[in-house]
Amino acid sequence: MNRTYVSNKVEFNVIGQVNSPYKEKFAIPRQPGLVSSAKGSITLTGDANDPELVRELAQFSHIWVLFVFHGTQEQGWKPLVRPPRLGGNKKIGVLASRSTFRPNPIGMSVVKLDAIDIKDQQVILHISGIDLLDKTPIIDIKPYVPYSDSIPHANAGFAQTQPSSDLKVTFNEHAQIALAKHSNNHPDLALFIEQVLAQDPRPAYKKGKDDDKVYGMNLYDLNIQWKMQGLSSIEVIGITSAVSKL
Ligand code: SAH
């Protein structure tokens, strides 16, 4: 049974909302920075939408973003989880993981701060390298401070190194025509798709096995269709308008 908490509540105010090309959980990288071309923004909201809150923030190249896992929050949490890094079989304590199903559904990501835009009293932070679902509620933003936040020789157990992302990604003729068609709106689309697919978004148990399934993933307003070619290549076979799931 999944657990929830009913007492000892602490309340936070949402200070902003994410605008992300990732419209669904499938294919979002498992940590920030793995897909550097994933660009999005944070729109500050309510009382936090005030240029004073971000005064001098632009001198930092990276920020910590604290957010709510709103997409999975309702599913509650369990004390043990199965991290994809361990093949999805071994159970470990939720607090030894970066699972979204935590006692408090709080996520934290270091992202690149590309620019801060203030227009008509609206503060927008442009960020990249994100692993955030569209419309993610933000509860805090802090500067990333390398001298304290980076510990290069720290032990990270089963997650010591970045997962390998050596899948080769190709685009068939249909996909290439579609890329050209969308290049005005999305100039870096090919690179973005390549980086996302190189991470192998399939469930862990599919890795290293024959797979003839056609997969679909939504990025921006587009649906990208792709399939495996052998064990180490992915072919993108179609890029069409995403059908709204609402
Ligand atoms: N860097 C964060 C998140 C790690 S889990 C942390 O360590 O806390 C990464 C996964 O979070 C992604 O694969 C994505 O599927 C999921 N995710 C991102 N935003 C989410 C949201 N708003 N709700 C639910 N899941 C989300």
Side-chain angles (χ1 to χ4, degrees):
M1 209 183 67
N2 286 3
R3 307 179 191 197
T4 50
Y5 269 114
V6 287
S7 60
N8 273 331
K9 282 212 184 269
V10 179
E11 224 177 70
F12 291 122
N13 294 307
V14 170
I15 65 160
Q17 198 187 46
V18 170
N19 185 310
S20 164
Y22 298 119
K23 308 298 179 190
E24 59 184 356
K25 273 201 68 176
F26 180 60
I28 304 183
R30 299 204 170 99
Q31 281 303 336
L34 296 173
V35 173
S36 59
S37 62
K39 290 189 166 62
S41 60
I42 298 172
T43 303
L44 295 187
T45 54
D47 284 347
N49 177 34
D50 178 339
E52 289 192 344
L53 271 80
V54 294
R55 192 188 291 172
E56 300 303 330
L57 181 63
Q59 63 186 283
F60 294 90
S61 64
H62 291 76
I63 52 174
W64 281 106
V65 175
L66 303 184
F67 60 97
V68 177
F69 287 120
H70 76 301
T72 47
Q73 187 177 15
E74 279 174 11
Q75 296 170 45
W77 61 281
K78 287 179 179 165
L80 294 170
V81 297
R82 299 168 199 260
R85 272 310 272 282
L86 296 173
N89 296 322
K90 193 173 172 201
K91 287 187 178 178
I92 64 167
V94 66
L95 301 185
S97 84
R98 293 297 190 95
S99 166
T100 64
F101 304 102
R102 330 181 61 76
N104 291 305
I106 295 177
M108 47 186 258
S109 296
V110 175
V111 301
K112 186 157 179 287
L113 177 60
D114 293 320
I116 301 178
D117 241 16
I118 302 171
K119 252 192 227 121
D120 303 329
Q121 294 303 305
Q122 178 59 65
V123 182
I124 299 183
L125 280 63
H126 294 278
I127 53 180
S128 57
I130 62 175
D131 59 348
L132 307 167
L133 186 62
D134 194 36
K135 300 197 164 48
T136 293
I138 301 299
I139 51 173
D140 207 357
I141 291 168
K142 307 182 194 222
Y144 176 79
V145 181
Y147 83 81
S148 167
D149 294 344
S150 160
I151 305 173
H153 303 296
N155 276 331
F158 66 85
Q160 189 66 38
T161 52
Q162 159 169 343
S164 65
S165 62
D166 41 15
L167 289 182
K168 186 168 165 260
V169 179
T170 58
F171 296 81
N172 79 2
E173 214 174 305
H174 288 292
Q176 285 183 25
I177 292 168
L179 276 179
K181 187 175 131 198
H182 295 291
S183 62
N184 277 347
N185 283 349
H186 304 298
D188 299 329
L189 186 60
L191 175 67
F192 184 32
I193 294 173
E194 268 174 48
Q195 289 189 347
V196 167
L197 291 181
Q199 301 295 315
D200 196 349
R202 298 175 302 153
Y205 71 90
K206 295 264 190 182
K207 288 190 180 131
K209 298 206 181 100
D210 282 330
D211 185 356
D212 52 14
K213 185 177 159 153
V214 173
Y215 291 89
M217 64 178 182
N218 291 329
L219 298 177
Y220 299 108
D221 50 348
L222 302 170
N223 184 266
I224 322 295
Q225 298 105 47
W226 51 275
K227 60 179 174 48
M228 295 302 295
Q229 274 201 326
L231 297 182
S232 54
S233 298
I234 290 183
E235 185 180 38
V236 180
I237 56 175
I239 301 173
T240 52
S241 290
V243 181
S244 167
K245 287 191 171 164
L246 299 175

